[in-house]
Amino acid sequence: MLEIQLIRANPTFVIEGLKRKYFENADNIIEQILQVDKEKRETQVEADKTLSEANNLSKQIGKLIKEGKKEEANQIKAKSGELKQKAKALTEQLQEKEKEINELLLQVPNLPHKDVPQGKTAEDNVVFFQSEEKTQISDKALPHWELITKYDIIDFELGNKVTGAGFPFYIGKGARLQRALVNFFLDEATKAGYKEIQPPIIVNEASALATGQLPDKEGQMYKLENHDYYLIPTAEVPLTNIYRNEILKKEILPLKLTGFTPCFRREAGSWGADVRGLNRLHQFDKVEIVQITLPEMSYEVHQEMKNHIESLIQKLELPYRILNLCGGDISFNAALCYDFEVYSAAQKKWLEVSSVSNFETFQANRSKLRYRNEQNKPVLAHTLNGSALALPRIMAAIIENNQTKDGIKIPEVLQSYCGFDTID
């Protein structure tokens, strides 16, 4: 959530930033926020003045009674009571104004960083790195949705029977490869200084609001019936919310957390070739990395997280590229985001496997996540997160890119985790 002080101080800058994100009605909503903020501050002044007058009158009552001026004391008492009732009504108006501002602010996306490219769609994203060679395989190579059936390692039909489309079963060596990837990613994160946490996979409404998943404009979250509970779309949500409403000591920053969880996304509106097989699921596994840091360090931390994710893909020996997302494609919450894509040789297409985002103070403002600065004043921290990594498309690329006539070769770095070097 944007800070009201920023909007108040420089509305033109805010509107220009929102337009770079192609946020509709930017002018109107900022005008509404400023108007309600003005009304709120005026109401606050009047409420404070009214209550002060009431309190000053109250102080006179005892003295007048002692002086025998009972009638005058009663008049002042009545007047003080009227002022207190007025102050109460103004306080209620003030609370309504605060609620109205908050509801408006929740609709406004984060501002893009200066390095976010201009552009409206994914076609305008900037590829600033691409590995030299794509994997070369036979023209008769099979896509992963055929390979998984051939080697009996993932079963979509069984998943459809037991649950529904987009909820596959991982079987035998498929399950072991999945577990190997999780353990490899967690071990690499631990080596990089991240503290492993196994969080709940269900969060409350306050947690989903704090990290920007609510309001759920795209209808991506699963909500539990009869409860204000949600299945998490990413471990970012519970991990970041550990520090909601906390004031941290500056010395402990940056905080580095990692967690493995299943993730749940409705993927409303998804259809076509892009959703085949492992390309898009309703439930999938992912290892997440999260950092909470000082504002002056956050872009250095962002690069560090990008480098960590890049190292994982390199160790898996997958061809990849890194994109700087443009204003129209970057997420609602992010100020700057890098996407990682791996090349799927059989599908002949790039598959997104990670996003690493800097949210600056956007999530911290929603969650009141602060630290004490040199003046001992609570100020907002910066939050960042990245997929390190999401498993389904990594699995798809490994299966497709490493297929041979003798089976699917397992990347060397995973063989000790799997206990085998080939799926045959």
Side-chain angles (χ1 to χ4, degrees):
M1 187 163 66
L2 295 182
E3 296 174 69
I4 187 64
Q5 297 92 331
L6 172 63
I7 297 173
R8 195 186 293 152
N10 201 339
T12 302
F13 170 79
V14 172
I15 290 168
E16 288 174 353
L18 295 176
K19 288 181 176 179
R20 285 181 60 208
K21 269 197 168 182
Y22 294 87
F23 178 63
E24 295 181 5
N25 213 20
D27 296 89
N28 186 50
I29 197 166
I30 296 303
E31 183 181 341
Q32 287 183 62
I33 290 169
L34 290 172
Q35 179 60 36
V36 179
D37 178 57
K38 179 175 177 287
E39 293 168 3
K40 180 196 129 181
R41 286 185 289 144
E42 289 172 349
T43 303
Q44 179 75 69
V45 170
E46 189 177 357
D48 291 345
K49 181 182 176 183
T50 302
L51 190 58
S52 177
E53 288 177 8
N55 290 336
N56 288 335
L57 288 175
S58 295
K59 292 175 184 177
Q60 299 176 32
I61 295 171
K63 181 182 177 183
L64 289 169
I65 290 173
K66 286 180 181 180
E67 292 174 353
K69 299 176 181 178
K70 189 174 179 181
E71 185 177 346
E72 190 175 344
N74 286 337
Q75 290 175 350
I76 290 177
K77 186 176 181 180
K79 178 64 174 175
S80 175
E82 290 173 7
L83 288 170
K84 285 181 179 177
Q85 282 299 113
K86 181 181 177 182
K88 181 181 177 183
L90 287 167
T91 300
E92 289 172 356
Q93 289 179 34
L94 185 64
Q95 290 170 348
E96 286 299 313
K97 295 296 179 186
E98 287 175 344
K99 182 180 177 182
E100 191 176 348
I101 289 173
N102 194 59
E103 288 174 352
L104 288 167
L105 287 171
L106 287 174
Q107 300 174 43
V108 180
N110 201 358
L111 298 181
H113 185 266
K114 62 180 177 60
D115 290 342
V116 170
Q118 293 285 350
K120 191 170 186 178
T121 70
E123 299 299 317
D124 300 314
N125 294 334
V126 175
V127 178
F128 69 87
F129 177 83
Q130 182 171 314
S131 52
E132 290 183 7
E133 292 184 6
K134 297 176 183 177
T135 303
Q136 301 298 318
I137 57 177
S138 166
D139 291 337
K140 297 180 181 180
L142 301 174
H144 71 271
W145 51 82
E146 294 185 27
L147 291 167
I148 61 177
T149 300
K150 178 179 178 179
Y151 293 106
D152 191 26
I153 54 175
I154 302 174
D155 194 325
F156 277 90
E157 291 184 9
L158 184 57
N160 195 44
K161 170 189 173 182
V162 173
T163 307
F167 295 90
F169 275 71
Y170 295 82
I171 298 166
K173 287 187 174 181
R176 289 170 67 184
L177 175 57
Q178 179 94 335
R179 178 157 49 92
L181 282 164
V182 170
N183 289 335
F184 168 62
F185 294 151
L186 286 173
D187 284 352
E188 291 296 301
T190 301
K191 290 175 189 175
Y194 290 87
K195 181 178 182 179
E196 183 180 346
I197 293 176
Q198 187 173 6
I201 61 172
I202 296 173
V203 294
N204 57 32
E205 185 175 3
S207 293
L209 273 166
T211 46
Q213 276 66 40
L214 291 179
D216 186 10
K217 297 177 179 62
E218 297 176 354
Q220 293 292 358
M221 296 187 76
Y222 284 101
K223 183 178 182 182
L224 275 62
E225 189 175 1
N226 300 323
H227 294 279
D228 285 331
Y229 289 156
Y230 296 82
L231 297 177
I232 62 170
T234 166
E236 164 203 342
V237 182
L239 292 180
T240 306
N241 271 280
I242 292 171
Y243 300 99
R244 174 159 49 90
N245 295 325
E246 298 284 339
I247 300 177
L248 307 173
K249 293 181 179 178
K250 182 179 178 181
E251 303 77 56
I252 70 171
L253 299 178
L255 285 166
K256 302 174 70 171
L257 310 175
T258 187
F260 154 66
T261 64
C263 303
F264 303 88
R265 298 182 188 177
R266 292 182 59 231
E267 297 292 358
S270 299
W271 60 278
D274 286 345
V275 304
R276 292 201 67 177
L278 296 168
N279 286 354
R280 189 159 296 178
L281 303 177
H282 294 305
Q283 177 183 330
F284 61 94
D285 289 341
K286 180 156 68 82
V287 173
E288 193 80 359
I289 54 173
V290 168
Q291 289 210 41
I292 298 164
T293 189
L294 303 172
E296 61 267 26
M297 290 178 58
S298 71
Y299 280 95
E300 179 182 336
V301 165
H302 195 210
Q303 290 298 316
E304 172 200 312
M305 294 172 74
K306 177 181 71 68
N307 293 341
H308 174 75
I309 293 164
E310 185 174 15
S311 73
L312 298 177
I313 299 173
Q314 289 173 341
K315 288 174 182 177
L316 292 172
E317 302 175 67
L318 293 171
Y320 69 98
R321 66 182 187 179
I322 308 174
L323 288 74
N324 186 359
L325 298 194
C326 70
D329 197 39
I330 196 171
S331 75
F332 184 89
N333 300 323
L336 183 67
C337 178
Y338 299 128
D339 266 9
F340 284 81
E341 296 179 340
V342 296
Y343 189 71
S344 167
Q347 297 180 69
K348 295 182 171 56
K349 65 188 295 184
W350 293 96
L351 304 175
E352 179 196 333
V353 294
S354 175
S355 294
V356 55
S357 302
N358 189 338
F359 305 112
E360 297 184 355
T361 61
F362 193 78
Q363 290 182 331
N365 193 31
R366 283 178 172 233
S367 60
K368 301 298 178 281
L369 197 172
R370 295 161 291 173
Y371 70 96
R372 291 196 181 276
N373 63 12
E374 289 82 358
Q375 291 75 40
N376 205 35
K377 179 184 176 182
V379 294
L380 295 172
H382 278 201
T383 64
L384 304 93
N385 84 282
S387 308
L389 289 156
L391 270 68
R393 294 171 189 164
I394 288 288
M395 285 272 283
I398 288 174
I399 291 167
E400 291 181 1
N401 292 8
N402 294 289
Q403 60 183 295
T404 70
K405 61 183 179 61
D406 299 316
I408 299 166
K409 295 295 182 184
I410 301 299
E412 186 176 350
V413 74
L414 295 178
Q415 290 176 11
S416 62
Y417 287 94
C418 289
F420 55 85
D421 59 14
T422 307
I423 295 175
D424 51 21

